[in-house]
């Protein structure tokens, strides 16, 4: 990559850094997407830190489009940090449902409790105090401290790292890229007049203009100072700038039993407190990494009603491809504890993943909706 002008070719001379910061800030102020978590609270004259904390937690591993479908609903349910802190964990997980990565919801819940317990119900403004909250790392702490409170704190996520590396014409990878990017982000924020605007502008640039697969240099405010302008393959990333090959996903096979009783209730069990979907509810299930469970390996105490699964589907997570198989079953002997029966209406109120929700609410295998008293297959006790 031939450097045309670089962020730090004059290595980070103050003038270069000032200029880059100003270019990003000006661009962001003109082009920021209108997103609900960017609204300024008129009473405070700035954003509400609790709402920002919620949005940061949601946006960590979920695309903006999906967050938009859940953010408002979550805040209607838990409009203040105190209401979130006093909620039951299952209610928080249920409100999170559809966003995946439920560990974030647990952390957010614990963070709310810590804010009430240790900070009198006010989200702290300093990055150091923010980082001591459960689930809040360097990035989230920097984002809230700078974007909400105007602190001179850098942030680096995948988008920021990519933009900074490209602007500087560096093809670093892994930990080296991460270290370098934090250093560079710190220099830039030090030269900025509006640290929060700069940080959010960098993220927005990486999310909309300088994306992993494509660099729209013609629309980029940094085109005049970027070492990689046009080198990202005529707008399409190539070579050192291409998005890294996706790591192969590990396969997991989940075999679940859909068990209903005569009242149309479904049987659920709680997952272990650690690992995938920790502590959430699901239909009685077994998991294997090599293949789906055989009939003889299904959970004990049930009788399956068909020769094989009635539904198969898969769900791709970041690091895993989960293949589900669902069998219809009845209880043998009547004893279900520690599992429990829940009404279909309750499925939406417990922490249940989307995939398991699909299983628990699926149509009866005889083609009728499984509603109490209507076409419900006879189950066990
Ligand atoms: S879009 Fe082009 S000019 Fe802008 S930062 Fe990315 S590579 Fe550089």
């Amino acid at each position: 990559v031939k450097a045309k002008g670089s962020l730090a070719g004059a290595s980070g001379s103050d003038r270069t850094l000032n200029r880059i910061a100003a270019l990003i800030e000006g661009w962001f102020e003109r082009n920021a997407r209108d997103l609900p978590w960017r609204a300024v609270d008129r009473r405070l004259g700035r954003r509400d830190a609790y709402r920002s904390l919620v949005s940061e937690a949601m946006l960590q591993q979920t695309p903006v489009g999906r967050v938009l479908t859940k953010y408002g609903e979550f805040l209607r349910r838990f409009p203040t940090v105190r209401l979130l802190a006093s909620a039951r964990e299952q209610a928080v997980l249920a409100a999170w449902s559809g966003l995946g990565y439920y560990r974030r919801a647990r952390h957010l819940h614990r963070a709310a409790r810590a804010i009430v317990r240790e900070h009198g119900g006010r989200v702290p403004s300093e990055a150091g105090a923010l980082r001591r909250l459960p689930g809040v790392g360097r990035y989230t702490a920097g984002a809230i401290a700078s974007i909400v409170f105007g602190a001179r704190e850098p942030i680096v996520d995948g988008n920021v790292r990519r933009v900074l590396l490209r602007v500087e014409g560096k093809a670093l990878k892994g930990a080296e890229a991460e270290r370098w990017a934090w250093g560079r982000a710190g220099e830039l924020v030090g030269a900025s007049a509006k640290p929060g605007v700069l940080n959010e502008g960098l993220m927005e640039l990486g999310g909309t203009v300088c994306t992993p697969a494509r660099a729209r240099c013609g629309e980029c405010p940094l085109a005049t100072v970027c070492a990689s302008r046009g080198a990202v393959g005529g707008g399409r990333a190539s070579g050192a700038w291409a998005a890294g090959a996706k790591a192969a996903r590990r396969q997991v096979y989940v075999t679940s039993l859909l068990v209903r009783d005569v009242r149309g209730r479904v049987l659920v069990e709680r997952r272990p407190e650690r690992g995938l979907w920790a502590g959430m509810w699901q239909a009685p299930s077994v998991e294997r990494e090599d293949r789906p469970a055989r009939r003889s390996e299904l959970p004990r105490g049930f009788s399956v009603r068909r020769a094989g699964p009635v539904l198969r589907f898969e769900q791709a997570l970041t690091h895993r491809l989960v293949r589900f198989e669902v069998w219809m079953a009845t209880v043998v002997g009547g004893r279900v504890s520690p599992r429990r029966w829940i009404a279909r209406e309750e499925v939406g109120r417990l922490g249940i993943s989307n995939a398991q929700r699909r299983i628990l609410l699926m149509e009866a295998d005889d083609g009728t909706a499984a509603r109490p008293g209507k076409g419900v297959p006879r189950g066990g006790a």
Side-chain angles (χ1 to χ4, degrees), residues 216-234:
R216 297 183 175 84
C217 303
E219 301 164 30
C220 181
L222 301 179
T224 54
V225 293
C226 180
S228 310
R229 173 167 50 97
V232 189

Side-chain angles (χ1 to χ4, degrees), residues 260 364 366 368-377:
R260 298 191 183 107
D366 58 3
T368 56
R371 293 201 179 82
K374 189 180 175 195
V376 179

Side-chain angles (χ1 to χ4, degrees), residues 1-25:
V1 176
K2 184 169 175 292
K4 294 183 173 77
S6 86
L7 194 162
S11 184
S13 79
D14 287 353
R15 265 190 54 217
T16 311
L17 291 167
N18 287 343
R19 174 146 181 249
I20 288 168
L23 285 170
I24 296 168
E25 289 157 14

Side-chain angles (χ1 to χ4, degrees), residues 250-267:
R250 196 150 56 85
Q251 303 232 14
V252 181
Y253 296 88
V254 177
T255 308
S256 297
L257 300 183
L258 177 57
V259 189
R260 298 191 183 107
D261 71 359
V262 288
R263 291 159 58 189
R265 297 179 305 175
V266 285
L267 192 64

